[in-house]
Structure formats: structure tokens, C-alpha cells
Amino acid sequence: MAFYYKPLSFILATLLLLSSISLISLSEATKNGGVTVDLIHRDSPLSPSYNPSTTHFERLRSSFRRSISRQSSLRSASFRSASKSPDAFEATLTPVGGEYLIKIGIGTPPVEILAIADTGSDLTWTQCVPCTQCYKQKAPLFDPTKTTTYRSVSCTSQQCQSLGPGSSSCDGSNGCLYQVGYGDSSYSNGDLAVETLTFDSSTTQESVAFPKVVFGCGHNNDGTFNETGSGIVGLGGGSVSIVRQLETTIGGKFSYCLTTLDSKASSKISFGPNAIVTGPNVVSTPLVQKSPSTFYYLTLEGVSVGDETLAYNSIPNSDSKASVQEGNIIIDSGTTLTLLPSSLYDELESALEKAISGNRVSDPHGQFGLCYELPSNGEFNAPPITAHFTGADLKLTQGSTFVEVEKGVVCFTFVPSQDLAIFGNLHQMNYLIGYDLENQKVNFLPTDCSQPR
């Protein structure tokens, strides 16, 4: 099938507007359908980190490189967790790899910050004054003395204990101190506290308050953090993530819809009733409980190229579905590419090479294994690719499986991995993806994410 490549002048989104009409409680918002806010891709022209002097190809390459760095960090966190309690808090984000940003308000009155929205991290934190060691950020640091709803957390409290062994300690006043370390040696240390977080709904233009949310007020933070972000909004599956803390109110449900690479519409993330994904075309796959609890594990049974299905076999030379290990892949919003075990990737590349009649070329930067010369008419013929999860077959958009990475060169956007497999955000685009932690499943609905729901 032929498809046309438009120049990738930017990747996503529209800034979240903070011109709200009124402030309502989360319970009121839930009655009205929940809350939906915008996600900002870090390479969008509307992102504070956008550099107009770089080309769209350079920004795209940087995004691909961040995928590999992030995978290394997620892998190291996964391996570390095997020697700890399954309930232990594990920070798993490579901060520089965060792809999507979200604007939130912290405190009363709310102070606006821009933070990484991440499904691979649990604890929400921001840089605070007084600051012993802080990385450079564009926005002012959060000052807990200028809010009426900030409350410190005791080191004997359940909130403090939920961080797990080695992730918390006590100060001289019995206050809880948190310590978060990341796979690239970045870190954040500070006071664990509760505070009101405010989200501005992009659909109702109302501000929705999340009271008494446990978060980290970081006084000692450093590493590879980008000056654009003021911290992290944790959307993982662990007990201190926002999704888990608000589970009874939002029903353990959130969803997002990521627009395609060349779209000028914003991506969206929803919490509560707004996040329920229904319809005749919805497919569902189980969430698999594994350690660390931060990650959202799915089971990938195979990948199809046209009519040829390639099985994801954990046991070599076996055609049985029983050979597929449950929870063999992570779905992640912060990784651009999809990483597959080397054996499955090799089969996939071989099948594509046989099916594609084009002039194969080498990737000038050595990131991708399968690249072709883009015909002068801008059309490239590639067979459809389907990812087969347990109970859910996802037909991937053709503009995401082969992407123009240099002028006149298109490359296959899957890469091999020696261990941890990740289903990246590039292949989640134009799917409304709903996480239902109450029923332990992920729902997928093919849709045009650039259109309002």
C-alpha cells in the first residue's frame, strides 16, 4: 500500500491553557465526566524546549536516541527490583527521555509548573526552595511557604512507608524524606508532603483540584534533567503514583490519545469517566502483574507482516502459545520506538525485506537496520503490520512503521533489544488507549486523535 510522507516540521501538541473559568473539586469533575488535559510533546514548537535552529530530522533523531537511553534505564530498574521487595518503590525514568509534558498547578493558590507526564514513573515531584542543589530550570522554584495546603508527612505514616525500603528516611522533626535515584545517575531528594494539584480541563475550561496528593518537594536534585521541566508527574502502576492515589475517585482509569507525527492538533490525557474507552471497535488485553509494579506489562503473542504471522516465542523452536511468556513487553508513553527481542526483530526485518520492492539503503546514522530510498513521488510501498497482543490485534498506522529520517530515506521504526521489550508511543498514535487498573486491562480504540471526542 502506498502512503505519502509530509515533512515532519513538528511532532505534537498545543499548550495547555491556564485561563480557567472556575475551580471545581475532583468529585464534581468526576460527576461531569472527569478531566481531560493536553499533552505537550517536548519537540513541539509550543514547548519551551523547542529549538527552531534544529531541523525536523535532527529533532526526530534525538527522539530516537532518547528511546535507547530510556530503555537502558527501564531495564536497569527492572533488574534491580528483582532483588527487592515487590512493593518497594522504584524510580524508573531516564529524565531526559521524557517525551510528553503536562502543565499542572501545585498549591493554593496554584503555582503553574511544566513536568514530564510519565507512565514509567510513580512519585510526582518538583524542585522546591530552599534549594541545596538544583538543576537549572526556566520556571521559578516552588515555595511551600507560600501555599495554604502544603502539609509535611510523618516518617511513620503509611504514605512514607509506601516508598519502600531505601527510598525514605526521617529528619530531625520526624518528617519523611524521600530519595529517588534514576538509571542515568540523576536523582531527586527532599521532603515528602501532601498538596493540592490542579489540572485545567481542555474540554470544560474548568480547573479541577486534586487535594492531598502525596508528592516530593525536592531540595537536592541533579543529573540530566532538562531545564524545561520542573519535575515529574508519575502515572505508573505503583502505590504513590497519581493514578493509584486517586483510584477510588477516578475508578483507576486514565487514557490518552496521541496524534500523528505531522498533526497540528494536541494530544490528550483523561482521568475518570472521560477515560473509559468503549465502542464496537474496542479491543482489550490484560495487564500482567509483575515487579516492579510501576510498569504496565502486556503480553505480545506475535507480529504480522501482511498475512504472515511471526510468533513471539519465549521457548526456541516452539509454535505453542504456551511458549509465550506473560507480561513480555511494557507499554510506555515515554519511549518513541518499539523495541523487540532480537530473534523476533530479525524475523520481522527478513519478512519485510522479502515483501518490499524498493532500493534498500543504509541509515546514515546507524540507528536503524532496515531503510529504503524514498521514491521521487513521495510514495513508499510497505505491507501492513499488526501487533498481536493477547485478545487485541493492533493494526499499526503505516506512517509510523516507516518514517522519513533523512531527506529521501525512510527507515523501519522497530529496533532489536537484548532484554527488555517496549511498545513505544510512535506505534500508539491514533489509538485511544485506556488503562483500567480496576479490571486489570488496557483498551485500544482506533481513532483520529486530532478530532475532538
Side-chain angles (χ1 to χ4, degrees), residues 177-316:
L177 302 175
Y178 77 91
Q179 302 89 38
V180 179
Y182 298 96
D184 64 349
S185 298
S186 298
Y187 60 86
S188 175
N189 302 321
D191 298 313
L192 196 70
V194 293
E195 184 54 283
T196 296
L197 302 189
T198 303
F199 290 78
D200 278 26
S201 174
S202 60
T203 55
T204 66
Q205 303 304 307
E206 294 177 312
S207 292
V208 183
F210 293 65
K212 298 181 180 179
V213 176
V214 175
F215 86 113
C217 196
H219 303 294
N220 183 6
N221 326 285
D222 206 356
T224 60
F225 298 102
N226 188 290
E227 65 179 21
T228 300
S230 302
I232 292 168
V233 175
L235 300 173
S239 60
V240 295
S241 77
I242 284 181
V243 180
R244 288 297 188 186
Q245 290 190 62
L246 303 174
E247 191 164 7
T248 56
T249 306
I250 65 175
K253 295 176 178 64
F254 74 99
S255 67
Y256 53 74
C257 204
L258 306 180
T259 56
T260 56
L261 294 174
D262 56 357
S263 175
K264 296 182 181 180
S266 65
S267 297
K268 306 289 183 182
I269 184 168
S270 302
F271 301 89
N274 275 358
I276 298 175
V277 179
T278 60
N281 295 321
V282 170
V283 292
S284 301
T285 190
L287 277 169
V288 179
Q289 295 300 298
K290 294 178 67 175
S291 179
S293 59
T294 302
F295 296 154
Y296 295 110
Y297 291 94
L298 308 180
T299 302
L300 181 66
E301 296 180 347
V303 181
S304 290
V305 175
D307 296 328
E308 181 183 1
T309 300
L310 310 170
Y312 186 148
N313 287 327
S314 299
I315 303 174

Side-chain angles (χ1 to χ4, degrees), residues 335-348:
T335 304
T336 301
L337 303 173
T338 290
L339 296 95
L340 295 178
S342 297
S343 57
L344 178 57
Y345 172 83
D346 290 343
E347 290 186 67
L348 186 56

Side-chain angles (χ1 to χ4, degrees), residues 378-442:
E379 294 183 353
F380 179 71
N381 292 308
I385 296 175
T386 303
H388 300 285
F389 295 95
T390 300
D393 295 337
L394 304 187
K395 294 181 179 179
L396 307 184
T397 59
Q398 295 194 17
S400 70
T401 54
F402 279 88
V403 169
E404 186 176 12
V405 299
E406 291 289 341
K407 186 172 179 58
V409 177
V410 296
C411 292
F412 182 49
T413 54
F414 286 67
V415 293
S417 169
Q418 296 301 317
D419 33 61
L420 188 65
I422 302 174
F423 188 62
N425 62 52
L426 189 60
H427 302 122
Q428 299 173 41
M429 293 175 181
N430 270 352
Y431 273 98
L432 176 61
I433 302 177
Y435 293 72
D436 185 345
L437 277 58
E438 187 176 79
N439 296 301
Q440 288 298 300
K441 62 181 180 179
V442 178

Side-chain angles (χ1 to χ4, degrees), residues 56-195:
H56 61 273
F57 292 127
E58 289 172 334
R59 290 189 290 272
L60 196 60
R61 288 283 186 179
S62 294
S63 176
F64 295 153
R65 285 193 295 270
R66 291 194 298 268
S67 290
I68 305 304
S69 297
R70 181 173 172 83
Q71 191 252 11
S72 298
S73 183
L74 296 176
R75 179 185 64 232
S76 63
S78 178
F79 289 169
R80 286 198 307 272
S81 70
S83 61
K84 295 185 178 182
S85 164
D87 296 325
F89 173 74
E90 274 294 342
T92 56
L93 173 70
T94 299
V96 74
E99 294 300 306
Y100 291 94
L101 303 172
I102 187 170
K103 281 189 176 180
I104 65 172
I106 298 184
T108 307
V111 175
E112 177 188 315
I113 72 166
L114 189 64
I116 297 169
D118 191 70
T119 57
S121 190
D122 288 330
L123 183 66
T124 294
W125 63 266
T126 190
Q127 296 201 111
C128 292
V129 295
C131 189
T132 306
Q133 166 64 52
C134 282
Y135 62 89
K136 182 181 179 181
Q137 70 173 51
K138 293 182 178 180
L141 300 181
F142 178 69
D143 187 346
T145 66
K146 295 182 178 180
T147 168
T148 62
T149 46
Y150 180 92
R151 299 290 184 273
S152 60
V153 170
S154 165
C155 69
T156 57
S157 66
Q158 182 179 357
Q159 295 103 318
C160 188
Q161 300 304 312
S162 67
L163 293 182
S167 295
S168 65
S169 59
C170 298
D171 65 14
S173 303
N174 200 41
C176 182
L177 302 175
Y178 77 91
Q179 302 89 38
V180 179
Y182 298 96
D184 64 349
S185 298
S186 298
Y187 60 86
S188 175
N189 302 321
D191 298 313
L192 196 70
V194 293
E195 184 54 283

